[in-house]
C-alpha cells in the first residue's frame, strides 16, 4: 500500500508571525543606530564650531584695519561663502558664515548653513576693535531665561538636525536680533530644541590679540 507523502512547511499564519518578529528585531537595531548617528553628527558639529571660533580669532590676528586694529569678518549675505562689506562696514550683522573667507566647510553635519552674527563695531575694517569696544550679543538659558553669556563680539549657530524650528528657543536663534539661546537638546514637542551654539567671548579674543601684540 502506498501512503501519501505530507508536505512539510510553514503556514501563512506562521510566516506572518516570523515576519513580525523579524520586523521588531530590525526596528530594535535601527533605532540605536539612528541615535548613534545623531550623536556623532552632534559631536562633529560641536568640533566644527570650535574650529570656526578659532578661525574667527585667526582672521582677527591676520587682518588690520586702517588704524592698525584687528577686526572680525562680516557675515555672508548672498550665500557665496565670502564676507560682505561696503566701505569697510558690514552690509548685515547677521547672516551666513563666510566659510570661504575663513577657509572652512560651508555647512554643518546636517547640511544646514551656519548662522553668524557679529557686533558691528568689531567687524569695521576702517577702525577695527580695541579693548574698549562695546559688545551687544547675549546668550540665554532658554527663551526669556537667565543670561549665561553677555557682551559677546560674535556667535555662530547650527540649526541642528531639524533645521529651522518652531519652539521659542529655536526661533530666538533665527530671528536676527542680539539675543540667542543655548540649552540642552530636547524633543519635547513645541519646546523641541537641537541647535548647537558657540560664541566668541571677548576675554578670549582680547587675550589672543594682546598676546600676539595686536592690541596694547
Amino acid at each position: 500500500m502506498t501512503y501519501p507523502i505530507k508536505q512539510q512547511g510553514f503556514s501563512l499564519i506562521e510566516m506572518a508571525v516570523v515576519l513580525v518578529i523579524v520586523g521588531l528585531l530590525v526596528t530594535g537595531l535601527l533605532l540605536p543606530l539612528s541615535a548613534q548617528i545623531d550623536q556623532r553628527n552632534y559631536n562633529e558639529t560641536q568640533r566644527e564650531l570650535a574650529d570656526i571660533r578659532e578661525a574667527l580669532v585667526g582672521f582677527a590676528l591676520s587682518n588690520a584695519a586702517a588704524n592698525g586694529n584687528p577686526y572680525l569678518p562680516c557675515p555672508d549675505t548672498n550665500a557665496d561663502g565670502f564676507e560682505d562689506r561696503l566701505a569697510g562696514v558690514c552690509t548685515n550683522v547677521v547672516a551666513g558664515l563666510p566659510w570661504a573667507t575663513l577657509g572652512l566647510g560651508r555647512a554643518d553635519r546636517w547640511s544646514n548653513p551656519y548662522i553668524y552674527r557679529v557686533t558691528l563695531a568689531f567687524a569695521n575694517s576702517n577702525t577695527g576693535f580695541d579693548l574698549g569696544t562695546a559688545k551687544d550679543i547675549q546668550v540665554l538659558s532658554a527663551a526669556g531665561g537667565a543670561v549665561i553669556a553677555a557682551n559677546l563680539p560674535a556667535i555662530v549657530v547650527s540649526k541642528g538636525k531639524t533645521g529651522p524650528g518652531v519652539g521659542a528657543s529655536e526661533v530666538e536663534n533665527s530671528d536676527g536680533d542680539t539675543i540667542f539661546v543655548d540649552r540642552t537638546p530636547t524633543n519635547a514637542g513645541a519646546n523641541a530644541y537641537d541647535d548647537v551654539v558657540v560664541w566668541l567671548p571677548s576675554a578670549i579674543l582680547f587675550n589672543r590679540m594682546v598676546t600676539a601684540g595686536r592690541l596694547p
Side-chain angles (χ1 to χ4, degrees), residues 6-7 10 21 25 33 36-37 51 80 89-90 105 110 117 121 148-150 177-178 181 194 201:
K6 287 188 175 182
Q7 298 293 326
F10 291 108
I21 293 174
L25 290 174
L33 178 60
Q36 291 177 27
I37 292 174
D51 291 340
D80 66 354
V89 181
C90 298
W110 299 279
R117 184 179 180 102
I148 58 178
D177 64 13
T178 60
V181 168
D194 68 352

Side-chain angles (χ1 to χ4, degrees), residues 24-46:
L24 291 173
L25 290 174
V26 171
T27 301
L29 292 173
L30 289 179
L31 287 178
L33 178 60
S34 176
Q36 291 177 27
I37 292 174
D38 288 343
Q39 187 61 49
R40 183 189 65 191
N41 288 336
Y42 181 83
N43 292 341
E44 291 180 354
T45 295
Q46 283 187 311

Side-chain angles (χ1 to χ4, degrees), residues 159-174:
K159 293 305 294 178
K161 179 181 178 180
T162 60
V166 297
S169 294
E170 289 219 353
V171 170
E172 193 66 84
N173 287 342
S174 307

Side-chain angles (χ1 to χ4, degrees), residues 43-208:
N43 292 341
E44 291 180 354
T45 295
Q46 283 187 311
R47 286 193 289 271
E48 289 176 359
L49 284 168
D51 291 340
I52 289 171
R53 182 170 66 181
E54 190 63 23
L56 292 174
V57 174
F59 181 96
L61 286 170
S62 305
N63 290 272
N67 61 0
N69 285 346
Y71 64 92
L72 292 171
C74 290
D76 168 23
T77 61
N78 58 8
D80 66 354
F82 294 94
E83 63 164 351
D84 291 299
R85 63 175 69 242
L86 182 62
V89 181
C90 298
T91 56
N92 199 335
V93 294
V94 57
L97 181 75
W99 54 271
T101 298
L102 296 173
L104 300 169
R106 70 170 64 224
D108 63 19
R109 288 293 167 169
W110 299 279
S111 299
N112 296 317
Y114 289 107
I115 296 172
Y116 168 59
R117 184 179 180 102
V118 63
T119 298
L120 184 60
F122 273 77
N124 189 319
S125 63
N126 297 316
T127 60
F129 62 84
D130 57 33
L131 301 181
T133 302
K135 291 79 66 177
D136 62 6
I137 300 170
Q138 64 177 330
V139 181
L140 309 182
S141 60
V147 176
I148 58 178
N151 300 319
L152 301 172
I155 192 167
V156 184
V157 178
S158 159
K159 293 305 294 178
K161 179 181 178 180
T162 60
V166 297
S169 294
E170 289 219 353
V171 170
E172 193 66 84
N173 287 342
S174 307
D175 60 7
D177 64 13
T178 60
I179 300 174
F180 291 81
V181 168
D182 184 29
R183 56 177 295 188
T184 302
T186 175
N187 294 320
N191 294 318
Y193 179 90
D194 68 352
D195 289 359
V196 193
V197 182
V198 71
W199 55 86
L200 178 58
S202 57
I204 290 177
L205 180 61
F206 290 159
N207 178 266
R208 294 287 294 276

